[in-house]
Amino acid sequence: DTGVSQNPRHKITKRGQNVTFRCDPISEHNRLYWYRQTLGQGPEFLTYFQNEAQLEKSRLLSDRFSAERPKGSFSTLEIQRTEQGDSAMYLCASSRLAGNTIYFGEGSWLTVV
Amino acid sequence: TQLLEQSPQFLSIQEGENLTVYCNSSSVFSSLQWYRQEPGEGPVLLVTVVTGGEVKKLKRLTFQFGDARKDSSLHITAAQPGDTGLYLCAGGTGSGGGADGLTFGKGTHLIIQP
């Protein structure tokens, strides 16, 4: 397995701009998760996909956030009209099936100035 | 809401000492995972425990899952500077939906001084 890959690793953007992060999960992993982590905190669940279907979204995922996994492989997380409070590390993870071990990517750091 | 409380939040000890960090909850988890995270990087899985009372060893690290599957501990023997990092516990319910994602504790920041 090549591991979960995320890009860009770092993004600095001005408040109000849109940003998009991409995640390539471990091949053949059906489930893909997005988490957000701020300094001093553990990761917080945002949303997850089983294949191409988005099965659950956290209340943390405001209307400005949208995630897609169009072909059941890679996923994108878009944040529209970014705010300073969006500054965080966005982590992608994948697993084979429910209840199986979840593997994380290296994360994408977002700084909104 | 399921919560995982980790203690201590911060721990700084000398190389060669032993330590234990704890992960406690009032909820039952079907599995519990321990991760280690370095600054600017994603969490790296150390171990998954699934059976109440289970003990797993990974070199100098010993992980235990409580009998009731509500708590876990991580014991490090003869700590080394390379053990420095943020240790996260995460519980899974495996019951479907977003619950298949993990609930994380806030982590224990561990510093091993040479």
Side-chain angles (χ1 to χ4, degrees):
Chain A
D1 289 334
T2 58
V4 179
S5 176
Q6 293 188 242
N7 66 83
R9 291 292 316 279
H10 300 90
K11 179 72 176 179
I12 300 174
T13 190
K14 291 183 178 179
R15 188 174 52 185
Q17 297 294 306
N18 299 343
V19 296
T20 300
F21 298 111
R22 174 179 170 127
C23 172
D24 288 90
I26 296 171
S27 59
E28 299 181 355
H29 276 194
N30 306 100
R31 297 205 162 192
L32 186 148
Y33 306 81
W34 285 100
Y35 287 80
R36 182 174 70 186
Q37 186 177 23
T38 53
L39 287 175
Q41 302 294 321
E44 297 172 297
F45 170 77
L46 292 179
T47 188
Y48 93 103
F49 294 83
Q50 178 156 314
N51 300 315
E52 66 275 7
Q54 187 174 16
L55 295 187
E56 186 163 333
K57 294 191 287 186
S58 161
R59 294 173 196 168
L60 294 174
L61 214 64
S62 76
D63 291 343
R64 297 183 297 104
F65 289 69
S66 63
E68 295 182 346
R69 195 184 183 195
K71 297 181 180 179
S73 55
F74 73 92
S75 175
T76 58
L77 176 68
E78 181 183 16
I79 308 173
Q80 296 181 325
R81 304 181 303 281
T82 53
E83 302 173 354
Q84 287 187 322
D86 297 331
S87 295
M89 181 160 70
Y90 291 85
L91 290 160
C92 178
S94 70
S95 69
R96 285 186 184 274
L97 293 170
N100 276 354
T101 299
I102 296 176
Y103 296 91
F104 283 84
E106 293 183 319
S108 292
W109 274 104
L110 173 64
T111 301
V112 182
V113 297
Chain B
T1 301
Q2 298 171 312
L3 292 174
L4 279 167
E5 301 285 341
Q6 288 192 242
S7 62
Q9 285 190 328
F10 299 94
L11 183 60
S12 178
I13 62 173
Q14 294 294 124
E15 180 177 3
E17 293 183 9
N18 301 332
L19 67 110
T20 303
V21 298
Y22 300 93
C23 176
N24 296 297
S25 176
S26 58
S27 301
V28 175
F29 292 98
S30 62
S31 67
L32 197 136
Q33 302 181 14
W34 283 92
Y35 292 83
R36 178 169 165 267
Q37 186 177 25
E38 297 197 24
E41 303 293 328
V44 175
L45 179 69
L46 296 175
V47 78
T48 300
V49 285
V50 297
T51 305
E54 182 177 3
V55 177
K56 281 192 174 180
K57 291 191 176 183
L58 185 65
K59 296 183 180 178
R60 294 176 294 101
L61 279 59
T62 302
F63 304 85
Q64 185 163 8
F65 201 11
D67 292 340
R69 290 185 288 137
K70 293 181 179 181
D71 54 82
S72 181
S73 63
L74 158 59
H75 182 79
I76 301 179
T77 304
Q80 299 177 1
D83 296 328
T84 294
L86 175 66
Y87 288 82
L88 294 158
C89 69
T93 62
S95 61
D100 284 335
L102 298 172
T103 299
F104 278 86
K106 291 186 177 182
T108 293
H109 294 264
L110 176 64
I111 297 173
I112 309 301
Q113 300 180 23

